[in-house]
Amino acid sequence: MIFNKDTAEKTAELLLQINAIKLNPENPFTWASGWKSPIYCDNRLILSFPIIRNYVRDEFAKNIEKQFGKPDVIAGVATGAIGIGILVAESLGLPFVYVRPEPKKHGRQNQVEGFLQKGQNVVVVEDLISTGNSSLMAVEALRNEGANIKGMAAIFTYGFGVAQENFKNANIDLYTLSNYENLLNLAVEKQYITEDQQSALQEWNEIPSTWGQQ
């Protein structure tokens, strides 16, 4: 679910402007999973554009507090959400921790890095939601440390049905600054893509695992 439509449209436009999101149905990208995709999203680019990263920071801070109440801690999911998560925590005047994909193999073997007390209320910040599996693994790691997860806030989601089901099963409320639906509508309106390309992009969103394999 998006925080609000105005933010969703503005965020989508900014991501397109800096090529954080690239749309190319004719020459699809190949994800690590092997899926063929007409879209590639690299939200790490946001950090290189001060005006845009400040916009994302401010929208996160404002909407997190409005939707979840002010938590005790902000947690970023490594590695993509560490930078923006720190900015959000700083804006809210809150402690920050981050979550590794798996525990370290040496030292204290931490998966959650930073100071976190049992029972603290945590909002998790993520950069991108695809299936939601890696994001929810971070939630599980925080819960194993005794955290009370208030919800997750992400920059962008592809809006896959499997992700919605995964978050529902995990009992986690997910809110995003923007999503695939608003991105496509904005991309057509601003002539980043044609209506024919929009149709191909919508088709991919419905069957991402097999799209482009005919």
Side-chain angles (χ1 to χ4, degrees):
M1 184 181 301
I2 56 174
F3 283 115
N4 65 74
K5 188 168 180 59
D6 289 343
T7 299
E9 291 177 352
K10 178 67 173 178
T11 302
E13 183 167 13
L14 293 173
L15 294 177
L16 287 167
Q17 284 177 3
I18 63 173
N19 283 322
I21 288 181
K22 297 181 179 181
L23 302 171
N24 196 339
E26 291 77 22
N27 296 292
F29 307 93
T30 301
W31 287 2
S33 62
W35 287 8
K36 297 293 183 181
S37 169
I39 178 174
Y40 190 80
C41 184
D42 182 7
N43 288 330
R44 292 171 179 84
L45 285 172
I46 291 169
L47 297 174
S48 298
F49 296 85
I51 292 174
I52 295 174
R53 77 176 181 228
N54 289 345
Y55 172 80
V56 170
R57 174 201 65 196
D58 293 345
E59 288 299 310
F60 261 146
K62 175 178 66 179
N63 286 294
I64 282 172
E65 193 162 8
K66 180 178 178 181
Q67 191 61 48
F68 302 116
K70 192 168 184 177
D72 301 311
V73 177
I74 295 292
V77 180
T79 58
I82 292 178
I84 198 67
I86 289 171
L87 293 174
V88 173
E90 178 69 14
S91 178
L92 290 170
L94 294 175
F96 175 78
V97 302
Y98 71 88
V99 188
R100 297 175 177 272
E102 59 184 25
K104 283 195 300 186
K105 298 290 193 293
H106 58 277
R108 297 171 59 202
Q109 300 181 330
N110 291 341
Q111 186 168 2
V112 177
E113 297 285 7
F115 182 72
L116 181 66
Q117 293 179 298
K118 291 184 184 301
Q120 285 190 307
N121 293 324
V122 176
V123 169
V124 184
V125 171
E126 182 62 289
D127 70 324
L128 176 66
I129 305 294
S130 53
T131 64
N133 287 330
S134 59
S135 304
L136 290 171
M137 286 173 61
V139 167
E140 187 64 21
L142 289 161
R143 283 175 166 169
N144 289 341
E145 295 294 322
N148 175 33
I149 308 300
K150 301 292 289 182
M152 182 177 293
I155 297 171
F156 186 79
T157 177
Y158 293 116
F160 296 146
V162 64
Q164 295 174 26
E165 192 67 21
N166 286 339
F167 276 89
K168 180 181 178 182
N169 291 339
N171 195 29
I172 293 294
D173 290 331
L174 169 67
Y175 284 84
T176 63
L177 296 183
S178 192
N179 64 2
Y180 197 73
E181 179 184 358
N182 280 277
L183 171 74
L184 291 194
N185 291 339
L186 190 282
V188 171
E189 179 186 335
K190 300 292 184 179
Q191 299 183 338
Y192 284 94
I193 58 173
T194 65
E195 291 186 3
D196 285 344
Q197 288 175 315
Q198 182 185 26
S199 296
L201 286 154
Q202 287 173 330
E203 180 184 328
W204 168 79
N205 192 247
E206 294 168 4
I207 51 167
S209 62
T210 57
W211 184 87
Q213 298 180 11
Q214 295 86 353

